[in-house]
């Protein structure tokens, strides 16, 4: 049985006032909630873990550096993320691969650092619109998986998020058949590389314009174990129905 996970990526949104959203979310949870991981900006990590103490909501960072400490102005290490009380870290989001030129090798090194600090890595992969149009989606996804995942992947230390770049923040969502095709492909690739036990145990999230209106349909897809949600995770009133849809899936 794989865990169901509703993850929220706040990106560069939210000051202290946004912590009230965590309280609202925590008070409106369904029975048997899935795992919930909210990833606020790093300035809010300590306060967010405080604010969710005793609730089922877990906190994650949006990135970490591969080194434990040193002269890396502006970066935070996995140890610092763990020190905040966070349990997860998003790695290799397409916005970081794009704007910060992060490579698969960088993502892999960060995952090893994350594990070393006791964090679960949420590793993101996804094709661009041009790559999809050129029929390269599965090749790109396969190469990103091979390059971004360290060999020491274990069931409890990694979550994979498939996020087609063209679906992020655009309101465009792949068809259910397209989501199923990629998730089935990822599952088979994971089993091939890590064996059936680990390959079947790794949760696969879909991300890209998930909202309450499409969540039920997406969560019904085999091999979709949850979602990584951007815009619709900022407000509890938008995220709560997605959490409920996952709980009931
Ligand atoms: P979105 O973002 O839900 O706003 O499309 C998803 C993401 O970037 O993780």
């Amino acid at each position: 049985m794989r865990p169901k996970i509703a993850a929220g990526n706040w990106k560069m949104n939210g000051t202290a006032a946004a912590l009230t959203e965590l309280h609202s979310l925590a008070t409106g949870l369904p029975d048997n909630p899935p795992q919930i991981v909210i990833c606020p900006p790093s300035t809010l990590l300590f306060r967010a873990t405080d604010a969710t103490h005793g609730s089922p909501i877990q906190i994650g960072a949006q990135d970490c550096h591969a080194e434990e400490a040193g002269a890396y102005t502006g970066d935070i290490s996995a140890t610092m993320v763990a020190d905040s009380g966070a349990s997860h870290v998003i790695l290799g989001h397409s916005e970081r691969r794009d704007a910060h030129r992060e490579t698969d090798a960088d993502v892999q090194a960060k995952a090893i650092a994350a594990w070393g600090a006791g964090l679960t890595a949420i590793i993101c992969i996804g094709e661009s619109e041009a790559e999809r149009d050129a029929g390269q989606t599965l090749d790109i996804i396969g190469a990103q998986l091979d390059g971004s995942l360290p060999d020491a992947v274990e069931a409890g230390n990694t979550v994979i998020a498939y996020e087609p770049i063209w679906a992020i923040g655009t309101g465009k969502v792949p068809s259910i058949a397209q989501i199923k095709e990629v998730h089935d492909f990822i599952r088979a690739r994971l089993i091939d590389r890590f064996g059936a036990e680990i390959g079947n145990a790794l949760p696969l999230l879909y991300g890209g314009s998930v909202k309450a209106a499409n969540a039920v349909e997406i969560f019904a897809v085999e091999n979709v174990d949850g979602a990584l949600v951007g815009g619709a995770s900022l407000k509890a009133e938008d995220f709560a129905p997605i959490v409920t849809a996952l709980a009931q899936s």
Side-chain angles (χ1 to χ4, degrees), residues 47 52 63-64 72 82-83 88 121 154 169 181 224 249:
R47 276 184 286 186
T52 52
D63 178 48
C64 68
Y72 303 102
D83 184 48
H88 289 68
E154 284 173 20
E181 181 189 33
V224 172
S249 68

Side-chain angles (χ1 to χ4, degrees), residues 9 11 93 95 163 167-169 208-210 228-231:
N9 173 11
K11 307 192 180 183
H93 190 282
E95 287 153 14
E163 299 203 302
I168 293 175
S209 296
V210 174
L228 179 55
V229 183

Side-chain angles (χ1 to χ4, degrees), residues 7-227:
N9 173 11
W10 282 8
K11 307 192 180 183
M12 198 173 74
N13 295 290
T15 55
L19 296 170
T20 58
E21 298 299 331
L22 298 175
H23 289 290
S24 308
L25 187 63
T27 51
L29 291 178
D31 294 340
N32 290 321
Q35 272 189 35
I36 301 168
V37 184
I38 297 291
C39 304
S42 53
T43 49
L44 289 180
L45 286 173
F46 273 88
R47 276 184 286 186
T49 59
D50 258 3
T52 52
H53 195 75
S55 89
I57 301 174
Q58 296 176 286
I59 299 299
Q62 299 172 14
D63 178 48
C64 68
H65 199 281
E67 297 297 329
E68 191 167 337
Y72 303 102
T73 303
D75 283 314
I76 57 172
S77 71
T79 307
M80 294 167 183
V81 172
D83 184 48
S84 76
S87 52
H88 289 68
V89 60
I90 298 171
L91 297 176
H93 190 282
S94 62
E95 287 153 14
R96 295 209 56 93
R97 290 179 183 266
D98 180 31
H100 297 266
R101 304 260 180 283
E102 288 188 10
T103 64
D104 289 338
D106 294 330
V107 176
Q108 182 165 159
K110 288 174 181 216
I112 291 169
W115 298 341
L119 301 170
T120 299
I122 302 175
I123 297 181
C124 303
I125 52 174
E127 82 286 1
S128 69
E129 189 152 36
E131 288 162 346
R132 177 162 282 277
D133 289 347
Q136 297 168 342
T137 299
L138 298 184
D139 290 342
I140 294 291
I141 296 300
Q144 287 180 342
L145 273 179
D146 293 351
S148 304
L149 296 183
D151 288 331
V153 161
E154 284 173 20
N157 67 11
T158 303
V159 175
I160 316 276
Y162 167 56
E163 299 203 302
I165 297 168
W166 51 274
I168 293 175
T170 59
K172 284 197 239 172
V173 183
S175 70
I176 291 302
Q178 287 171 325
I179 295 175
K180 180 171 166 26
E181 181 189 33
V182 176
H183 279 243
D184 288 353
F185 173 83
I186 295 171
R187 179 68 65 213
R189 191 97 169 187
L190 294 173
I191 292 170
D192 200 42
R193 177 165 169 198
F194 299 109
E197 198 177 326
I198 292 174
N200 277 317
L202 293 167
L204 304 187
L205 312 185
Y206 167 78
S209 296
V210 174
K211 42 189 180 294
N214 57 26
V216 172
E217 206 187 10
I218 291 171
F219 294 149
V221 179
E222 199 189 333
N223 281 318
V224 172
D225 304 308

